[in-house]
Amino acid sequence: MRKQRKWLMLAVILLVVSIYPHFGAAEVDNVVLAEQETGDGTAETTDTGTVADTEQATEAAPEGEAAQETAAPEAVDAGAAVEVKLYPVSAVKQIAENDGYVMYIDEKTGNIRLVDKKTKAEWLGTPQLPRTTMPNNKKFMDAAVHVKYTEGSDTVQTYLTKEKENKLSIEAVDDGAKVTFKFVKEKLELALVYRLLDDGFEVTVPGDSIKEKGKAKFVSIEPLPFWNAAAEKEEGSIFLPDGSGALMTYRENHPQFFSGYSERIYGTDPAYVAESHENMDAVWRQRLAPKEKIALPVFGNYRNGIGSLGIVTKGQYDTKINGTPSGIRAIPYYRTSSEFMYRWDDVIFIGTSGEIPFFQGDWIKGDRQIRYVLLQDEQADYVGMAQAYNSYLKTEQGVKPVEQTTAPMKVKLLGGITRDEVLGKTYLSMTTFDQARIIIDAFQERGIADLEFTFSGWSEDGLYGDQPDHFPVEKKLGGAKELKELAAYAKDKGVTLYLEANYARAFSESDGMKKSKDAIRGMDREVAKSSDYFIGSRWNDDSRLYYWMKPERVIGKHLNKELDDYAKLGISGIHLAYWGDTLYSDLDEKSPTTRQETASAWAKAADAVRETIGRASVDYGFGYMLGHVDGINQVPLDSSHFIYNDETIPFYQIAVRGLVPYTASEINLRNDAQNEKLRMVEYGALPSLELTYEPTTKLQRTMEDRLWSSEYTTWLDDIASQYDELNQIYKAISNQAIADHEQLGNKVYRTTYANGTKVIVNYSGASVNIEGVSVPAAGYVMQKGGE
């Protein structure tokens, strides 16, 4: 009896050992094998389980037949490789085909797969997962759409297969299919419409498909959350539009991340307090730590030569871009997507009740849409993505290049400002119109002929005067007569002259607006206050209060009425403060305005400025202003350096250069003079300054606390030296698009322009030799096209 038990135990142990690989309890770094279910043949895969381009790519099973599982090459050493079974590709029902691609759908989940007809490359809506994947995670990853909803306070996430009662229906449409998802328990319904395009496909959430028949209300919809997701071992990166751009590189060995990237396109909305603050109460608000904004409505990823660029073409003003590193929710895959927001939430304070969470009552109407441009081989990287977006801007958005025959030094001058005194205030003239002529002459005498001036604080009472009114011109600076003479003088000298105008954020003490009628309102229906913040603590400083202006009202009541006054001065253009770096809505019940309506109003007004005055410019350069301005000041040249991001890239510059000129941050206000100079050269940004005629010390006790070194005589010789040094580069790359950008070594980068000019920048502390060219430490070298 004991012998029988002994043999029985041995048999059980042998059985467990023989089937152990099917449980996948251990991770392996070698070849991964997949089982063959039907015996119809096998196809090769990479070690991550995704379909690979080897001898033959996996073809979709005929309609009505089960898709087969794929297998990696047979392991030569059982001790060096362990079999891990893979689920078969499930999107096998063909729904669309054109000259370039075939689109397939999974009839159980609504997820999709695209195949290039020539190269057989595949893009999967969800990665081909090992059978060791936890069931809940597999359902989560297979879902074609993730939904967040609320029933009053908390937000809950769901997806099709989370509940058995949920339903799915598919119907054919031109070049694709419409998939309707019904969440029965929550009484919610939505649809995704897939359409095949020449360069990829688009997915749309039609506004009329959104149905809420119960207590649950949509908060957000995230289509294709695992589109082209990559395993840790694959080569590639997620591209995130953080500032100039950032990469999240796929790595096996990385810290444990507890959250990923999730930021709103075009930055936070000032109408919602909670979006940009923490540690709030009825009086005090601590601003979130500084970070870069999303200036373009794009995202993407690439892995092993297969990539895609997502462009949010509808609903971008209320959309988040998500980038999730491996390890979140115990899922070993990197993924990126866009999340359409249908309701924003905020907090309100009523009496002593404390913080009360609050959701928008009605959802933000309209269609939502993402266009995916598919990329392969050498195009499947951030350069290829940026060039694809550049092409989209020109062909689909009609953005026409702004011709720039010269490379001007851009100089901003501060006119007047008020200073606090023991009793009352004193007006300070920091740069009069006559003094501006002296500054022009001083620059040109030192060989800086190409100049572009922007004059701020020129209207009555200076920088924080009666805005959004801008006329009359401040008499203590010389009045309208001398400003007109300055414009004529600048034109005669070949200098472009802009006037800065603020039609967005008015100082609370301004007589140019009535806050109850002109200012936007927040979730609590009260006028939305905007504060400055103490730099060290980030707490609000309510001694400096501002109000954001209602877009249509401020344009109709102020800007349109002042256009003729600008034209009479003979200036070259208007610099529109805030319009390119801050976007907001208005929650006033009587006259609500969405962020899309604000952006549209500003773009239309900028067109009117260009038509009447000649030119318009903005700061930072949010995407909705492209095609409507002639210049961008202080373009983003860095990312936020979040812990999960590995590299800053010039995506914005590759996408925009050649379409509109842009400048770097001011030379006299840099934190790290040498590195910021090198970044300016690497990214092809024009140099800029912010100066005054009078000594900077006069600005004490004023609201201008940024200009710690602005007196023009302090900078003349240094700027003349830098201009002589850099001018040969800027002449060579003037009007030129960026053709390539690459890292050549540790802290060494090369930017190649359309005319063949190359600029190599070395941030390291030692000189390097690149292809026979010596690049000095903390320096750069330019190679002209053909040399």
Side-chain angles (χ1 to χ4, degrees):
M1 190 68 176
R2 289 182 178 176
K3 290 183 178 180
Q4 290 179 344
R5 288 180 180 174
K6 181 178 179 181
W7 284 108
L8 182 60
M9 290 178 66
L10 285 172
V12 171
I13 292 171
L14 288 171
L15 179 61
V16 171
V17 170
S18 67
I19 66 172
Y20 172 80
H22 300 286
F23 292 104
E27 293 185 4
V28 294
D29 297 328
N30 301 306
V31 180
V32 179
L33 301 181
E35 72 168 343
Q36 179 181 337
E37 237 179 28
T38 62
D40 293 332
T42 61
E44 297 182 359
T45 68
T46 67
D47 56 2
T48 63
T50 53
V51 179
D53 283 329
T54 52
E55 295 182 5
Q56 286 186 334
T58 304
E59 295 288 342
E63 186 176 340
E65 295 183 15
Q68 66 185 33
E69 297 186 0
T70 57
E74 184 179 355
V76 297
D77 183 353
V82 179
E83 283 191 58
V84 175
K85 298 178 183 179
L86 303 176
Y87 286 101
V89 173
S90 55
V92 296
K93 170 74 172 180
Q94 182 174 326
I95 56 172
E97 180 179 7
N98 60 19
D99 292 341
Y101 303 97
V102 182
M103 180 185 287
Y104 301 92
I105 197 167
D106 181 340
E107 295 180 281
K108 292 183 178 179
T109 66
N111 220 319
I112 59 170
R113 171 173 64 108
L114 267 76
V115 179
D116 187 301
K117 294 170 69 173
K118 294 180 180 179
T119 67
K120 305 303 179 185
E122 293 193 343
W123 291 260
L124 304 177
T126 185
Q128 198 176 355
L129 301 173
R131 285 194 178 270
T132 54
T133 304
M134 291 184 292
N136 284 346
N137 276 349
K138 185 176 189 309
K139 291 179 181 180
F140 183 77
M141 296 175 70
D142 283 346
V145 60
H146 289 168
V147 170
K148 291 179 183 175
Y149 67 91
T150 184
E151 293 184 349
S153 57
D154 295 333
T155 300
V156 181
Q157 186 177 51
T158 190
Y159 42 92
L160 181 70
T161 55
K162 189 174 183 179
E163 304 287 345
K164 292 182 179 180
E165 297 85 352
N166 294 339
K167 297 179 181 179
L168 170 77
S169 62
I170 302 174
E171 61 180 291
V173 298
D174 292 341
D175 301 317
K178 179 180 180 180
V179 186
T180 302
F181 300 85
K182 295 182 179 180
F183 300 91
V184 178
K185 179 181 176 182
E186 295 82 10
K187 296 182 180 179
L188 296 173
E189 185 175 322
L190 67 100
L192 299 183
V193 178
Y194 301 114
R195 292 187 186 276
L196 198 59
L197 304 174
D198 291 340
D199 58 357
F201 74 102
E202 66 184 16
V203 56
T204 307
V205 183
D208 59 11
S209 76
I210 301 297
K211 297 177 182 177
E212 302 169 329
K213 299 180 179 179
K215 186 178 180 181
K217 305 298 180 183
F218 281 107
V219 172
S220 71
I221 295 173
E222 183 183 10
L224 301 179
F226 282 87
W227 172 257
N228 202 40
E232 295 171 326
K233 292 183 181 180
E234 296 189 83
E235 291 194 9
S237 300
I238 286 174
F239 154 65
L240 297 171
D242 177 42
S244 64
L247 296 181
M248 184 189 298
T249 304
Y250 310 146
R251 291 185 288 156
E252 279 191 274
N253 299 316
H254 58 76
Q256 176 62 54
F257 299 115
F258 296 97
S259 64
Y261 183 87
S262 184
E263 297 292 333
R264 188 172 183 172
I265 296 175
Y266 305 136
T268 56
D269 187 336
Y272 299 89
V273 179
E275 270 197 63
S276 52
H277 295 89
E278 58 186 354
N279 301 323
M280 298 173 291
D281 61 26
V283 176
W284 293 100
R285 303 174 302 280
Q286 187 177 32
R287 193 173 191 174
L288 294 173
K291 57 187 174 183
E292 295 292 337
K293 303 172 184 177
I294 294 179
L296 301 175
V298 292
F299 62 98
N301 64 354
Y302 51 95
R303 55 177 188 85
N304 298 344
I306 299 295
S308 68
L309 171 70
I311 307 171
V312 184
T313 53
K314 293 182 180 179
Q316 57 185 282
Y317 306 97
D318 293 285
T319 298
K320 289 182 177 180
I321 300 300
N322 296 330
T324 307
S326 170
I328 303 294
R329 194 185 161 120
I331 295 175
Y333 286 85
Y334 288 85
R335 61 187 177 99
T336 183
S337 61
S338 61
E339 183 178 2
F340 299 133
M341 304 302 297
Y342 286 79
R343 283 180 175 85
W344 294 100
D345 65 303
D346 204 359
V347 295
I348 58 176
F349 298 92
I350 301 177
T352 59
S353 60
E355 184 178 308
I356 301 174
F358 203 80
F359 277 89
Q360 283 180 285
D362 200 6
W363 62 276
I364 302 168
K365 298 298 191 290
D367 293 350
R368 311 293 204 272
Q369 188 176 85
I370 314 163
R371 177 172 182 162
Y372 287 91
V373 180
L374 304 184
L375 305 167
Q376 297 179 61
D377 302 327
E378 67 275 2
Q379 292 299 311
D381 61 10
Y382 66 87
V383 176
M385 289 182 191
Q387 291 173 341
Y389 188 62
N390 175 277
S391 176
Y392 170 81
L393 288 172
K394 290 186 291 188
T395 59
E396 300 293 329
Q397 297 296 301
V399 177
K400 297 180 180 179
V402 175
E403 292 296 326
Q404 187 83 25
T405 56
T406 62
M409 172 73 71
K410 300 206 174 187
V411 181
K412 185 176 181 179
L413 298 176
L414 172 60
I417 194 170
T418 57
R419 182 173 65 194
D420 292 329
E421 306 291 358
V422 176
L423 294 174
K425 294 184 178 182
T426 301
Y427 181 85
L428 292 177
S429 295
M430 295 300 295
T431 310
T432 66
F433 303 133
D434 277 342
Q435 290 169 345
R437 293 197 214 183
I438 295 173
I439 295 175
I440 289 174
D441 291 342
F443 273 103
Q444 294 194 337
E445 285 170 5
R446 284 165 173 77
I448 307 176
D450 295 332
L451 291 166
E452 184 174 293
F453 274 45
T454 300
F455 214 111
S456 68
W458 53 272
S459 57
E460 190 173 47
D461 291 335
L463 191 60
Y464 299 97
D466 290 338
Q467 295 169 352
D469 282 337
H470 291 80
F471 289 88
V473 179
E474 175 55 55
K475 292 181 180 179
K476 293 178 181 178
L477 298 179
K481 180 177 179 295
E482 290 192 13
L483 177 54
K484 189 174 183 179
E485 291 175 356
L486 171 62
Y489 187 80
K491 186 176 182 179
D492 184 59
K493 291 283 187 174
V495 175
T496 304
L497 179 64
Y498 283 83
L499 294 182
E500 182 177 88
N502 176 11
Y503 293 103
R505 189 175 184 242
F507 185 45
S508 59
E509 297 180 17
S510 169
D511 292 330
M513 60 91 189
K514 188 174 182 180
K515 68 179 183 180
S516 61
K517 292 183 178 181
D518 295 333
I520 68 168
R521 295 177 182 266
M523 187 78 81
D524 58 2
R525 309 307 183 205
E526 298 293 327
V527 172
K529 298 177 181 178
S530 175
S531 305
D532 281 344
Y533 298 85
F534 295 107
I535 296 174
S537 65
R538 307 198 311 274
W539 289 102
N540 54 301
D541 176 9
D542 284 351
S543 66
R544 300 181 179 184
L545 278 180
Y546 308 81
Y547 298 101
W548 296 103
M549 299 287 94
K550 291 176 179 288
E552 291 290 357
R553 185 174 175 84
V554 78
I555 291 170
K557 185 180 176 182
H558 299 276
L559 174 59
N560 290 344
K561 292 181 179 180
E562 293 179 342
L563 285 176
D564 288 341
D565 294 321
Y566 286 114
K568 290 175 183 177
L569 293 173
I571 60 173
S572 304
I574 302 176
H575 180 76
L576 300 161
Y578 299 106
W579 284 18
D581 61 8
T582 306
L583 183 62
Y584 53 84
S585 55
D586 181 10
L587 305 181
D588 189 339
E589 287 183 311
K590 296 180 180 179
S591 57
T593 303
T594 66
R595 296 222 306 177
Q596 179 174 352
E597 290 170 338
T598 299
S600 177
W602 285 346
K604 183 179 178 181
D607 289 341
V609 168
R610 298 174 84 188
E611 183 178 347
T612 305
I613 312 301
R615 302 186 187 187
S617 64
V618 293
D619 294 318
Y620 209 80
F622 282 173
Y624 56 79
M625 294 304 292
L626 296 177
H628 304 282
V629 294
D630 302 275
I632 301 170
N633 294 351
Q634 301 181 66
V635 75
L637 296 180
D638 204 353
S639 67
S640 302
H641 296 276
F642 293 115
I643 190 171
Y644 40 71
N645 286 342
D646 300 283
E647 186 179 349
T648 298
I649 57 171
F651 182 97
Y652 187 100
Q653 286 69 30
I654 299 171
V656 168
R657 202 172 206 291
L659 296 180
V660 57
Y662 51 82
T663 73
S665 59
E666 296 87 349
I667 292 172
N668 58 307
L669 301 180
R670 287 173 177 166
N671 295 315
D672 185 332
Q674 187 61 27
N675 272 353
E676 290 185 46
K677 173 185 173 182
L678 293 177
R679 180 62 62 87
M680 177 182 73
V681 172
E682 180 191 354
Y683 285 20
L686 293 169
S688 70
L689 294 154
E690 188 165 357
L691 304 174
T692 58
Y693 182 89
E694 298 292 339
T696 314
T697 52
K698 285 191 174 184
L699 291 172
Q700 295 180 64
R701 302 196 310 278
T702 72
M703 291 175 64
E704 181 52 82
D705 51 15
R706 301 173 305 108
L707 298 179
W708 48 270
S709 179
S710 64
E711 188 176 0
Y712 86 102
T713 54
T714 304
W715 289 94
L716 269 177
D717 292 336
D718 185 45
I719 294 305
S721 176
Q722 283 198 40
Y723 185 82
D724 288 340
E725 175 189 340
L726 295 171
N727 196 36
Q728 60 172 333
I729 294 179
Y730 287 107
K731 282 185 176 179
I733 65 175
S734 179
N735 244 12
Q736 295 297 309
I738 295 175
D740 197 11
H741 180 267
E742 54 195 324
Q743 184 171 2
L744 304 178
N746 183 30
K747 298 184 178 180
V748 182
Y749 299 87
R750 178 168 60 198
T751 306
T752 303
Y753 293 86
N755 63 359
T757 299
K758 298 179 180 181
V759 179
I760 304 173
V761 176
N762 176 17
Y763 292 90
S764 72
S767 63
V768 296
N769 189 284
I770 303 294
E771 299 172 0
V773 177
S774 179
V775 186
Y780 57 88
V781 168
M782 181 189 74
Q783 298 173 298
K784 291 186 178 179
E787 295 184 9

